């Protein structure tokens, strides 16, 4: 416990982290509350524990290396300055609560990601202006507006919450909108559908202010 107290006293002074060769995991809450931390070189890390960077409020960008294969809950929760995040090309699954209280400019989906474990509440979802999907990803795709679709673009999976467009026109090839896909997209006022659209559930636009469909 004494060593833990000494480590805690250093946290406000840490501005950069470099993970050296031979270290493969970042432990639970390892760098939480390093409020002046601005950059992280992850080296060849393969796993990141729960809340590892909780409330690191000076972090602005995170690019996970391709060696990262697992990541825990709430890892970047409360990183209020975080703007850009990239999953790297080995991570297969993330939980949306990783980014509670964050508002991103861009979320980069690597070629291996295949699942968002989502729980939508007023804080637990990915706030971002756009999704950018690696073209070799077999499960997801994105468009020029940063919307997230399945690979064939037949289903809209996520509409970016921070997209400022007020009118959403459903693309011709898209026939389905996933449950909660429009949740908390408060800027959308009008949705324009086409005759091939297959319908939606009552939860589709939870937290929205849509006035015209």
């Amino acid at each position: 416990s004494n060593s833990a107290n000494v480590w805690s006293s250093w946290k406000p002074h840490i501005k950069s982290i470099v993970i050296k060769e031979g270290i493969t995991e970042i432990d639970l809450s390892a760098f939480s509350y390093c409020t002046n931390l601005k950059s992280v070189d992850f080296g060849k890390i393969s796993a990141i524990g729960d809340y590892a960077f909780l409330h690191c409020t000076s972090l602005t960008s995170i690019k996970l290396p391709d060696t990262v294969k697992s990541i825990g809950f709430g890892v970047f929760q409360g990183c209020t300055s975080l703007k850009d995040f990239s999953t790297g090309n080995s991570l297969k699954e993330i939980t949306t609560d990783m980014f509670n209280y964050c508002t991103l400019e861009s979320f980069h989906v690597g070629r291996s990601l295949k699942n968002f474990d989502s729980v939508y509440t007023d804080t637990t979802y990915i706030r971002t202006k756009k999704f950018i999907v690696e073209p070799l990803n077999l499960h997801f795709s994105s468009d020029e507006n940063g919307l997230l679709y399945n690979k064939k673009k037949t289903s809209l999976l996520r509409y970016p919450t921070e997209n400022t467009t007020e009118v959403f026109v459903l693309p011709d090839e898209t026939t389905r909108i996933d449950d909660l896909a429009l949740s908390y997209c408060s800027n959308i006022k009008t949705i324009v559908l086409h005759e091939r659209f297959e319908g939606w559930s009552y939860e589709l636009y939870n937290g929205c202010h849509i006035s015209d469909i």
Side-chain angles (χ1 to χ4, degrees):
S1 59
N2 290 335
S3 60
N5 291 332
V6 170
W7 172 239
S8 296
S9 70
W10 277 96
K11 285 188 173 185
H13 306 288
I14 297 173
K15 295 183 178 181
S16 65
I17 293 170
V18 177
I19 307 296
K20 293 187 176 181
E21 187 84 22
I23 298 175
T24 58
E25 297 184 10
I26 297 176
D27 207 355
L28 168 72
S29 301
F31 300 109
S32 61
Y33 293 95
C34 290
T35 54
N36 289 305
L37 177 63
K38 294 183 177 181
S39 66
V40 182
D41 180 343
F42 288 93
K44 295 183 178 180
I45 284 291
S46 61
I48 302 175
D50 297 349
Y51 307 110
F53 294 94
L54 176 71
H55 289 294
C56 290
T57 52
S58 295
L59 279 176
T60 59
S61 179
I62 291 291
K63 186 180 187 304
L64 298 181
D66 292 347
T67 53
V68 173
K69 295 183 178 180
S70 68
I71 193 164
F73 296 100
V75 173
F76 300 105
Q77 181 174 311
C79 294
T80 52
S81 296
L82 189 62
K83 296 302 179 187
D84 300 292
F85 177 81
S86 175
T87 67
N89 286 316
S90 295
L91 195 63
K92 293 182 179 180
E93 182 176 80
I94 64 166
T95 58
T96 54
D97 71 352
M98 282 172 55
F99 304 101
N100 286 2
Y101 310 105
C102 300
T103 302
L104 304 176
E105 291 287 330
S106 62
F107 185 98
H108 296 254
V109 177
R111 69 174 67 111
S112 295
L113 194 72
K114 63 180 182 179
N115 186 41
F116 289 85
D117 181 11
S118 302
V119 179
Y120 273 64
T121 68
D122 58 353
T123 59
T124 307
Y125 57 98
I126 297 174
R127 288 182 177 270
T128 187
K129 186 174 286 186
K130 60 184 176 182
F131 292 94
I132 302 171
V133 179
E134 158 67 43
L136 294 178
N137 187 292
L138 298 177
H139 306 279
F140 302 115
S141 60
S142 56
D143 64 10
E144 65 275 7
N145 297 313
L147 279 63
L148 184 70
Y149 299 88
N150 65 348
K151 185 62 178 179
K152 294 183 178 180
K153 287 190 169 72
T154 56
S155 182
L156 176 65
L157 306 179
R158 301 283 189 280
Y159 190 100
T161 59
E162 308 310 299
N163 187 310
T164 57
T165 303
E166 293 188 359
V167 179
F168 169 48
V169 180
L170 189 70
D172 290 340
E173 67 269 35
T174 305
T175 58
R176 186 176 187 276
I177 300 178
D178 267 22
D179 291 348
L180 303 174
L182 302 178
S183 289
Y184 301 102
C185 295
S186 58
N187 292 316
I188 300 177
K189 302 296 187 292
T190 301
I191 300 176
V192 180
L193 304 175
H194 51 69
E195 61 183 11
R196 295 175 56 240
F197 178 62
E198 297 176 356
W200 55 30
S201 78
Y202 75 97
E203 295 181 316
L204 181 68
Y205 42 87
N206 186 31
C208 291
H209 305 291
I210 296 169
S211 58
D212 189 19
I213 297 176

